[in-house]
Amino acid sequence: MLYLVALLLHCLPLAMGQYDICKSWVTTDDGPSWEFYACQPKAMRMKDYVTVRVDPAGITCGDPPERFCTHENPYLCSDECDASNPDLAHPPKLMFDSEDEGLATYWQSVTWRRYPEPLLANITLSWNKSIELTDDIVITFEYGRPTIMMLEKSLDNGRTWHPYQYYADDCMEAFSMPARRVRDLSTTSANRILCTEEYSRWAGSKKEKTVRFEVRDRFAIFAGPDLKNMDNLYTRLESAKGLKDFFTVTDLRMRLLRPALGGTYVQRENLYKYFYAVSNIEVTGRCKCNLHANLCTFKEGSLQCECEHNTTGQDCGKCKKNFRSRSWRAGSYLPLPNGSPNACAAAGSAFGNCECYGHSNRCSYIDFLNVVTCVSCKHNTRGQHCQHCRLGFYRNSSAELDDENVCIECNCNQIGSMHDRCNETGYCECKEGATGPKCDDCLPNYYWRQGCFPNVCDDELLLCQNGGTCYQNQRCVCPVGFKGVLCQQSRCEADKKDCDGAPGTRGSLGTILLGVLALQLRGWVDL
Ligand SMILES: *[C@@H]1O[C@H](CO)[C@@H](O)[C@H](O)[C@H]1NC(C)=O
Ligand SMILES: *[C@@H]1O[C@H](CO)[C@@H](O)[C@H](O)[C@H]1NC(C)=O
Ligand SMILES: *[C@@H]1O[C@H](CO)[C@@H](O)[C@H](O)[C@H]1NC(C)=O
Ligand SMILES: *[C@@H]1O[C@H](CO)[C@@H](O)[C@H](O)[C@H]1NC(C)=O
Ligand SMILES: *[C@@H]1O[C@H](CO)[C@@H](O)[C@H](O)[C@H]1NC(C)=O
Ligand SMILES: [Ca+2]
């Protein structure tokens, strides 16, 4: 029987379901040993680890120096932006510094001097690491919030982007979407992408400065208004498809589409008061470590999970070498309160020595053969140790035996090949006339038409005769008066009737005379 030392129980906040320890040293009847738990790093201020990019080039103010006004005092335009003067410059990094008391530091765009061309800017934040949001994203705008903006996210380091939330003073007009509030979402719609009007209306630039992406309100749908019932949230995160991913990002992008107007209309004679100014972007979250790490450190410019449970990788997303007797699994918040570690196991630790190269979680003993064999090999593998590829697949020579991509589908052309198996380099066995690794090509002198067939005609040896033309190597199109596979046969020779009245028939003198004779004979008979 297993029991925790009473002292440990007191020290470790296990029962709270915080998932903040990965293992503890416990004493059992068999002596002391490690016990493992699902674990995750603490939430952090993610702006400290971000790289930022502002687009397009030249959107940051101050090069050349320019002046700007405010909506409150549009005719007192004394403020100046000058990129070459540190006191007057507004570079992107000022969105991520710590604000000293009182004085806000901010990134600022050029003014809308090219109105009516839209004033567009993208602010892209990249972590080169998956992050799980744990609190609201809060963007603070000085001098008024944009009247139209969009938040996008990426889950694959910026390769693909998806909308995250739309913001407008009039959602219908800006995005043809009805305005919604996150507070009104339900358990089934918690991960809906919506357009909100709550953060875009003019309320005086000093009064309402923040634009939010509401993570807490969404959590509250499951965990209650004070987030007291986190167990329910964790249960939902495990069971509701896509919910965990909804709160996971590697990159965020703010697409600023129209600045604060300070009223309904744009005053064309004073465009110096239209611009974007962002003083802070607060992103709170934790490194995604698949519940296999409780520490995340900043190394060589990137966040990195300190993986436990014999996992490895930036997100602890795979098993360490020699710990692949089962396939990798993320840890789980369930069962409450400690979750399941789903640790990777050393080769040889289960069932004596049954290595399955990570393609199976189960072994079975076959009595009459006296062997232990892997059961239900995945990733298209088969064999006692899942060490072979299934029929119809071949070994990927650049992948290790425990790689998920170790078996590649043969993909033989169904018509051109004898069967759907291939040799070790992926070559299929072709039917007569077919060629190519997948048998989807024809040998020279064959043509493809639901398989390969020998050419009927071509431009070299099997020429169509008597002016016939070769149609796709399949048949000769013969001029009137000729027939045969290569148009080699005159119709008159084959059947005299064919010579009658055929326009443009190039007959010999003899056949013409015969024709005339025939006509005369017929006329005579008719008389
Ligand atoms: C902003 O990013 C979007 C893609 O997310 C792109 O289509 C758009 O052109 C970018 N705008 C600017 C001003 O760079
Ligand atoms: C992103 O992180 C990976 C893994 O830590 C690292 O190898 C890579 O160099 C990083 N890329 C950038 C652009 O920082
Ligand atoms: C991971 O491997 C080490 C040996 O390198 C072992 O002591 C430890 O118990 C293993 N941890 C888990 C969770 O299996
Ligand atoms: C072969 O394995 C390598 C390494 O895992 C992988 O990158 C590659 O995509 C695989 N090739 C195919 C055709 O699946
Ligand atoms: C697979 O078949 C192709 C074509 O017949 C051949 O060139 C190749 O050498 C074969 N590979 C092996 C490993 O037998
Ligand atoms: Ca700042």
Side-chain angles (χ1 to χ4, degrees):
M1 238 194 55
L2 205 81
Y3 64 90
L4 286 174
V5 177
L7 183 81
L8 277 175
L9 256 180
H10 274 286
C11 310
L12 304 172
L14 266 180
M16 289 164 59
Q18 294 297 302
Y19 305 103
D20 51 3
I21 61 162
C22 298
K23 60 183 175 195
S24 71
W25 190 240
V26 297
T27 311
T28 70
D29 286 352
D30 303 332
S33 69
W34 285 109
E35 193 168 83
F36 301 98
Y37 317 101
C39 53
Q40 61 187 5
K42 286 194 170 50
M44 313 193 277
R45 252 181 25 170
M46 285 295 165
K47 73 173 184 181
D48 296 345
Y49 310 99
V50 78
T51 29
V52 62
R53 190 191 148 95
V54 177
D55 288 306
I59 189 71
T60 299
C61 69
D63 184 19
E66 59 188 313
R67 70 197 177 100
F68 57 94
C69 328
T70 64
H71 291 293
E72 269 74 18
N73 207 341
Y75 299 102
L76 188 70
C77 302
S78 53
D79 283 321
E80 198 181 31
C81 178
D82 181 351
S84 63
N85 178 343
D87 292 335
L88 300 174
H90 294 281
K93 65 170 191 226
L94 298 182
M95 295 185 275
F96 306 99
D97 57 348
S98 340
E99 300 290 345
D100 289 331
E101 294 133 48
L103 211 59
T105 56
Y106 50 91
W107 165 80
Q108 190 183 316
S109 75
V110 297
T111 60
W112 203 359
R113 60 192 169 212
R114 296 168 83 161
Y115 179 87
E117 192 182 299
L119 181 62
L120 303 178
N122 284 353
I123 302 172
T124 306
L125 314 187
S126 306
W127 283 275
N128 188 26
K129 171 81 190 80
S130 355
I131 307 289
E132 291 167 340
L133 300 176
T134 57
D135 207 335
D136 291 4
I137 298 170
V138 186
I139 309 152
T140 310
F141 286 88
E142 304 296 322
Y143 306 105
R145 304 174 294 187
T147 45
I148 307 179
M149 78 169 251
M150 212 185 135
L151 187 65
E152 290 183 328
K153 75 165 199 174
S154 171
L155 259 168
D156 54 9
N157 293 318
R159 276 184 287 282
T160 56
W161 290 90
H162 312 278
Y164 214 7
Q165 191 146 304
Y166 296 85
Y167 301 85
D169 53 356
D170 185 335
C171 282
M172 224 20 166
E173 184 195 273
F175 298 112
S176 306
M177 292 170 82
R180 284 177 191 276
R181 296 184 311 178
V182 173
R183 290 199 285 288
D184 301 334
L185 293 176
S186 68
T187 50
T188 51
S189 61
N191 54 356
R192 177 168 292 172
I193 312 292
L194 48 77
C195 182
T196 172
E197 294 179 353
E198 288 197 67
Y199 307 101
S200 311
R201 294 219 163 112
W202 178 252
S205 62
K206 294 260 159 40
K207 226 168 121 200
E208 299 281 1
K209 290 177 152 194
T210 58
V211 172
R212 284 174 181 270
F213 178 78
E214 306 90 337
V215 172
R216 287 183 82 86
D217 283 347
R218 286 179 164 92
F219 282 178
I221 296 170
F222 307 107
D226 303 323
L227 304 188
K228 285 228 172 76
N229 190 0
M230 288 300 275
D231 282 358
N232 193 31
L233 172 65
Y234 286 134
T235 305
R236 282 301 186 130
L237 286 173
E238 287 296 343
S239 58
K241 200 166 174 287
L243 195 60
K244 240 185 204 176
D245 276 353
F246 180 79
F247 296 108
T248 308
V249 307
T250 57
D251 304 68
L252 288 168
R253 176 175 285 159
M254 271 140 264
R255 296 180 62 180
L256 309 180
L257 301 170
R258 195 174 66 192
L261 302 184
T264 319
Y265 303 105
V266 176
Q267 282 183 299
R268 307 189 61 152
E269 71 282 3
N270 191 355
L271 293 171
Y272 298 116
K273 61 178 186 174
Y274 305 111
F275 55 85
Y276 306 107
V278 178
S279 59
N280 195 41
I281 302 178
E282 206 64 59
V283 180
T284 312
R286 63 166 56 99
C287 289
K288 172 183 169 149
C289 302
N290 287 300
L291 294 172
H292 288 312
N294 59 356
L295 281 179
C296 186
T297 51
F298 196 58
K299 271 191 222 151
E300 289 144 20
S302 288
L303 286 166
Q304 178 91 44
C305 300
E306 300 279 340
C307 302
E308 301 267 2
H309 304 157
N310 290 313
T311 60
T312 185
Q314 210 186 10
D315 303 348
C316 309
K318 51 186 183 182
C319 292
K320 268 198 198 152
K321 232 180 155 51
N322 302 324
F323 287 92
R324 294 177 184 165
S325 67
R326 301 177 221 157
S327 37
W328 174 90
R329 281 163 72 198
S332 168
Y333 289 118
L334 302 177
L336 299 166
N338 296 335
S340 322
N342 295 335
C344 293
S349 66
F351 282 98
N353 221 351
C354 185
E355 163 85 82
C356 299
Y357 295 105
H359 303 306
S360 168
N361 286 327
R362 284 194 295 138
C363 291
S364 143
Y365 176 68
I366 303 178
D367 207 8
F368 64 93
L369 292 176
N370 190 27
V371 293
V372 178
T373 180
C374 305
V375 178
S376 311
C377 296
K378 287 190 290 190
H379 312 132
N380 305 308
T381 61
R382 65 177 177 91
Q384 187 187 357
H385 303 290
C386 307
Q387 79 274 37
H388 298 303
C389 289
R390 270 173 49 199
L391 287 182
F393 292 80
Y394 68 104
R395 175 78 199 272
N396 177 348
S397 57
S398 57
E400 303 235 17
L401 213 44
D402 55 12
D403 196 308
E404 283 191 14
N405 298 313
V406 68
C407 294
I408 304 172
E409 195 169 0
C410 291
N411 235 332
C412 300
N413 187 290
Q414 284 191 358
I415 297 165
S417 60
M418 310 278 277
H419 44 69
D420 59 5
R421 300 190 293 278
C422 54
N423 75 6
E424 292 111 275
T425 44
Y427 278 79
C428 304
E429 205 176 322
C430 299
K431 287 186 191 157
E432 195 205 325
T435 187
K438 307 300 167 199
C439 307
D440 49 4
D441 248 341
C442 291
L443 289 168
N445 302 322
Y446 285 81
Y447 68 92
W448 180 270
R449 191 175 164 219
Q450 308 287 338
C452 293
F453 294 93
N455 284 355
V456 172
C457 55
D458 60 27
D459 298 334
E460 290 161 21
L461 296 169
L462 299 166
L463 286 171
C464 300
Q465 297 170 24
N466 293 314
T469 51
C470 183
Y471 174 76
Q472 293 183 350
N473 300 109
Q474 294 173 19
R475 60 189 168 88
C476 290
V477 180
C478 298
V480 182
F482 290 93
K483 59 190 232 177
V485 175
L486 295 174
C487 314
Q488 75 278 24
Q489 203 177 5
S490 161
R491 286 176 186 272
C492 297
E493 280 165 27
D495 181 349
K496 283 186 185 144
K497 267 192 192 158
D498 279 351
C499 305
D500 298 350
T505 304
R506 287 186 296 143
S508 68
L509 185 62
T511 53
I512 292 170
L513 286 177
L514 269 173
V516 169
L517 188 64
L519 278 172
Q520 283 179 340
L521 272 173
R522 203 184 294 164
W524 187 71
V525 170
D526 281 350
L527 275 170

